[in-house]
Amino acid sequence: MSNAQHILALLRSHINGDDEQFCTIALQIAAHQAKLGHSKLAQELKDLIEVARSKKNVISLKTKSSVPITQPKGDLSGLLSVRYSDLLLDNLVVSETVHERLERIVLEYQKQDAIRSHGLDPRRKILIYGPPGSGKSMTALALAGQLNLPLFTIQLDGLITKFMGETASKLRFIFEAISNTKGVYFFDEFDAIGTTRNKDNDVGEVRRILNSFLQFLELDNSTSMIIAATNHIEILDKALFRRFDDVLEYKLPDKNEIKEIISIRLATFTPDNIDWASLQKKCSGLSHAEITRIVDNSVKDAILSEKTTITLESLSRSIEERKRAQPQTS
């Protein structure tokens, strides 16, 4: 194929949106240049094509479709769900200390080759604990989005069975996937696996499951990130803590975080003479998720009333409705 034909073919593939054909033709041009003795030019073309293909792969992971491109199959089909996230660390409303530690985790992961070259391991096995709705699941999404990795969530209903030995076998499948397919792997409600082996109601199968997890986690030297989250840190087996590279405590939002959550969720709906001190006091003791729902409900009311502002009365009403919906503790 002559240079003129190459150019025409490149233009046609570009117009048709056929990126793979475009790269194929570009490789043909590189091969042709190599035959002519232009090895430097040929190598530069090949390098550019590799960059283009890698960027295309990253973009394809974040498809706008709600259905992921690649779903786990076979033994993993009932054990893992996958999604691709657009969230970033800046989307999280957490304490400054937690945010700094998350940034450190991301930096170590991004520079893991340099860290490993010195015989060290990056922080990639993370345990997060805190009250419900404090942002643990959202953190897994943000880390996956920040690192351009798919988020694989372990399905506990498919993992934990009543048949002796079956759960440990399924754990093995999951850790094989962790080793073979790079991603962020999220064990939510982790206390279902990590309950202490010394509990009075403990049975042999519970011990086997936990022992298997401890062994798999310790032996894992993959490039995937593993995140475990729990609302009940007090019942986790103590042996787990030394297996994780970092342990993050999440708390209910303080007054500054409350204001930040409300401001973010209000978006274009301007607050009308809101007494922030009063509102922060009313929201004290509520989780990130609960405050988010409160603001969303007030925004819906404004939309239905065809208003563009949010009042303290509207937010207060949503707060009271949310608090009444909470289960009463004895």
Side-chain angles (χ1 to χ4, degrees):
M1 187 183 290
S2 67
N3 285 339
Q5 290 174 313
H6 276 133
I7 292 171
L8 288 172
L10 280 173
L11 287 172
R12 289 193 191 99
S13 62
H14 175 69
I15 292 169
N16 293 331
D18 191 343
D19 294 337
E20 190 55 37
Q21 180 65 10
F22 186 95
C23 289
T24 299
I25 296 166
L27 282 174
Q28 291 174 359
I29 295 173
H32 180 66
Q33 292 299 318
K35 287 182 180 179
L36 295 177
H38 304 152
S39 56
K40 184 177 179 181
L41 175 59
Q43 188 59 49
E44 288 178 351
L45 286 169
K46 289 179 181 178
D47 291 343
L48 286 171
I49 294 164
E50 286 301 314
V51 170
R53 278 181 166 163
S54 66
K55 287 185 177 181
K56 178 177 178 293
N57 287 336
V58 169
I59 293 170
S60 69
L61 284 175
K62 295 192 171 183
T63 175
K64 292 183 179 179
S65 170
S66 60
V67 180
I69 296 172
T70 303
Q71 288 284 358
K73 298 177 182 178
D75 294 322
L76 293 171
S77 60
L79 299 177
L80 298 174
S81 64
V82 62
R83 62 185 294 188
Y84 304 101
S85 173
D86 291 323
L87 285 177
L88 301 173
L89 290 187
D90 286 343
N91 299 128
L92 295 177
V93 179
V94 292
S95 69
E96 184 177 349
T97 299
V98 169
H99 200 279
E100 288 175 354
R101 290 175 68 180
L102 289 173
E103 288 181 331
R104 174 64 181 266
I105 289 167
V106 168
L107 183 61
E108 286 195 17
Y109 190 89
Q110 291 171 335
K111 296 183 178 295
Q112 61 180 295
D113 289 342
I115 291 174
R116 291 180 190 275
S117 69
H118 290 273
L120 301 171
D121 294 318
R123 303 181 197 205
R124 57 178 193 83
K125 301 173 185 178
I126 314 300
L127 175 62
I128 305 174
Y129 70 95
S134 55
K136 299 184 294 295
S137 299
M138 194 172 181
T139 296
L141 281 166
L143 286 171
Q146 193 78 40
L147 295 170
N148 287 322
L149 293 173
L151 175 67
F152 294 95
T153 300
I154 285 73
Q155 304 295 307
L156 290 179
D157 57 344
L159 172 63
I160 299 176
T161 72
K162 62 182 179 181
F163 300 108
M164 186 173 294
E166 189 172 302
T167 299
S169 296
K170 290 183 176 183
L171 268 176
R172 183 182 298 277
F173 289 138
I174 290 171
F175 274 89
E176 286 176 354
I178 290 172
S179 179
N180 295 330
T181 305
K182 185 164 69 172
V184 174
Y185 288 79
F186 183 44
F187 290 83
D188 198 7
E189 299 181 6
F190 180 64
D191 42 279
I193 296 173
T195 304
T196 177
R197 291 166 288 187
N198 296 322
K199 287 183 70 67
D200 294 337
N201 62 350
D202 191 16
V203 294
E205 183 65 0
V206 173
R207 288 196 298 272
R208 278 189 288 271
I209 294 169
L210 178 55
N211 287 336
S212 294
F213 182 87
L214 289 169
Q215 182 180 17
F216 291 141
L217 187 65
E218 188 163 21
L219 292 176
D220 174 68
N221 59 358
S222 68
T223 57
S224 292
M225 181 171 288
I226 300 172
I227 302 175
T230 179
N231 302 333
H232 305 289
I233 191 70
E234 70 280 358
I235 66 173
L236 291 189
D237 193 280
K238 302 305 179 186
L240 282 163
F241 292 89
R242 63 184 178 85
R243 265 49 173 224
F244 286 97
D245 302 317
D246 216 338
V247 180
L248 304 179
E249 180 184 7
Y250 280 38
K251 298 180 180 179
L252 295 176
D254 61 22
K255 62 179 183 179
N256 292 327
E257 291 166 15
I258 289 171
K259 184 175 182 179
E260 186 176 356
I261 295 168
I262 294 173
S263 299
I264 291 171
R265 298 305 297 184
L266 282 176
T268 58
F269 286 82
T270 307
D272 184 19
N273 297 323
I274 285 184
D275 180 352
W276 282 108
S278 174
L279 188 57
Q280 288 164 328
K281 185 176 180 180
K282 289 175 182 290
C283 288
S284 179
L286 296 175
S287 70
H288 296 69
E290 288 170 326
I291 296 171
T292 296
R293 291 190 184 97
I294 285 166
V295 180
D296 287 352
N297 286 336
S298 293
V299 169
K300 290 176 188 176
D301 289 342
I303 292 171
L304 294 174
S305 303
E306 298 183 354
K307 296 178 180 178
T308 58
T309 60
I310 300 292
T311 63
L312 177 61
E313 288 73 23
S314 174
L315 287 168
S316 297
R317 186 168 57 252
S318 294
I319 292 169
E320 291 305 316
E321 289 175 356
R322 189 67 196 171
K323 286 185 174 180
R324 283 197 299 270
Q326 291 178 330
Q328 299 297 314
T329 57
S330 56

